Amino acid sequence: MGAALLTQPDLIKRILCKLVAVCSKPVTCKIRILNKEEETLSLCKVIESTGVAALTVHGRTRHTRSSHPCNYDIIKKIKTQLSIPVILNGASLEINKKGDMTAMIKETGVDSIMVARAAWYNPSIFRDPEPVPVREQCRSL
């Protein structure tokens, strides 16, 4: 949706309702958390009411960068209040192997994790039981 829309729940609702109505494929939405927990929870409920198939929540505000920790507490609360799948995002710097993702899912109750930077840094993080160091991967090319 873009971080600029986060403070415009009515516009988000209109956009998502229209997308859900005209798309033959499932529509999902990704947001960042807001500064106030109650505003984040309210926005998530608005988004759920549009009929989207899932919601991805980046556990930082639009002004916090990846050097700041992901807010797992708000994501846990979102998951308990929504009936649609919730996907955790924003924890890439804390993910070093597949087991880290499994532990985060168990800890937060989310349905899945969206990984970006961790996979960019080392695509083998999805490998069981352990990833292959990037230098070792490069040597094998």
Side-chain angles (χ1 to χ4, degrees):
M1 303 267 21
L5 286 175
L6 289 173
T7 58
Q8 300 180 59
D10 292 335
L11 181 55
I12 290 172
K13 184 173 184 171
R14 287 197 314 268
I15 291 169
L16 290 174
C17 283
K18 185 67 170 178
L19 285 170
V20 168
V22 300
C23 290
S24 61
K25 303 289 185 197
V27 175
T28 64
C29 181
K30 179 178 181 266
I31 64 165
R32 282 183 174 257
I33 60 173
L34 298 166
N35 291 327
K36 295 181 180 176
E37 182 178 297
E38 59 276 1
E39 290 175 358
T40 301
L41 294 170
S42 176
L43 176 61
C44 291
K45 289 177 183 176
V46 166
I47 291 169
E48 179 182 42
S49 75
T50 67
V52 295
L55 175 64
T56 299
V57 181
H58 187 112
R60 292 187 193 85
T61 67
R62 70 179 182 165
H63 299 293
T64 53
R65 298 293 128 220
S66 59
S67 58
H68 295 89
C70 181
N71 185 335
Y72 297 111
D73 291 335
I74 186 66
I75 295 173
K76 284 184 204 179
K77 288 180 182 174
I78 292 166
K79 177 56 188 163
T80 64
Q81 294 192 18
L82 300 186
S83 60
I84 60 173
V86 174
I87 303 163
L88 183 149
N89 181 242
S92 285
L93 297 179
E94 299 165 37
I95 296 173
N96 297 302
K97 59 185 184 280
K98 187 176 179 181
D100 295 337
M101 291 178 263
T102 304
M104 284 179 190
I105 289 171
K106 190 178 235 181
E107 177 188 335
T108 60
V110 296
D111 298 281
S112 188
I113 294 181
M114 181 183 288
V115 180
R117 287 188 182 152
W120 183 64
Y121 294 143
N122 186 349
S124 77
I125 63 161
F126 303 103
R127 185 175 177 267
D128 250 343
E130 296 289 325
V132 177
V134 173
R135 289 180 188 217
E136 188 177 318
Q137 292 176 50
C138 293
R139 274 183 274 189
S140 68
L141 295 176

